[in-house]
Amino acid sequence: MIWAGAVLLLLVLLAGANTLRNRAGIALGEDTLDERIAELAPGAHMLPEDGAGPHPVAILLSGCDGVHDNMYWWAEELAEQGRAALILDSHGPRGLDRLESWRLVCAGQVMPGAERAGDLVAALEAISPVRDPGERSVLESRRVDEP
């Protein structure tokens, strides 16, 4: 029983330290813009797929629980209005499944705001050849009860 309590206490302390690290903006790893683009490429989907430009492009970011069907619905709506839409999955390329997303991302233990901002910068750079420079849109998918 003492060992179980010690392990639980250690886990709580580690989670607290990680939360403080995230709040302070201290990153554990550094990557270049090109490395980030390459990492996220498998989880990025452009609609319509032809991608010829320049034209207005919207970037759709998933909420803390990952990409859902609603993002594809919005991408199709934007395409009907003459915009391309880049659906950016930050979770899949990092190997985070639904359970890990809820448990770790939504709780702020992995992929803090600074890392997600880096994903947005990478997406903006990746779409620069097809994007109309005068048009910018970023949408984030959230549940109604998500803060």
Side-chain angles (χ1 to χ4, degrees):
M1 194 66 138
I2 293 174
W3 283 108
V7 168
L8 181 60
L9 178 62
L10 179 62
L11 291 174
V12 169
L13 290 173
L14 288 172
N18 190 48
T19 301
L20 290 174
R21 178 191 63 82
N22 287 337
R23 292 260 185 222
I26 300 169
L28 292 179
E30 297 285 328
D31 57 359
T32 67
L33 184 57
D34 290 337
E35 289 170 341
R36 179 73 60 100
I37 291 170
E39 177 185 24
L40 296 173
H45 305 280
M46 180 75 87
L47 296 174
E49 293 180 9
D50 61 14
H55 47 71
V57 179
I59 299 173
L60 285 77
L61 300 173
S62 61
C64 70
D65 60 342
V67 172
H68 293 283
D69 292 343
N70 65 328
M71 295 179 72
Y72 290 92
W73 184 86
W74 280 111
E76 290 170 5
E77 289 292 312
L78 290 163
E80 287 178 15
Q81 297 175 17
R83 291 182 175 272
L86 174 69
I87 298 172
L88 182 61
D89 179 2
S90 293
H91 301 75
R94 291 181 171 95
L96 298 171
D97 62 19
R98 288 249 187 250
L99 177 61
E100 290 168 327
S101 292
W102 275 102
R103 190 172 41 108
L104 299 173
V105 179
C106 293
Q109 294 302 307
V110 297
M111 286 182 25
E115 189 166 357
R116 295 292 302 275
D119 291 358
L120 178 57
V121 170
L124 287 166
E125 180 65 23
I127 65 169
S128 62
V130 297
R131 180 177 52 90
D132 178 346
E135 294 283 337
R136 294 183 198 106
S137 299
V138 176
L139 305 171
E140 182 182 16
S141 174
R142 289 180 173 246
R143 296 186 337 261
V144 174
D145 61 341
E146 193 176 329

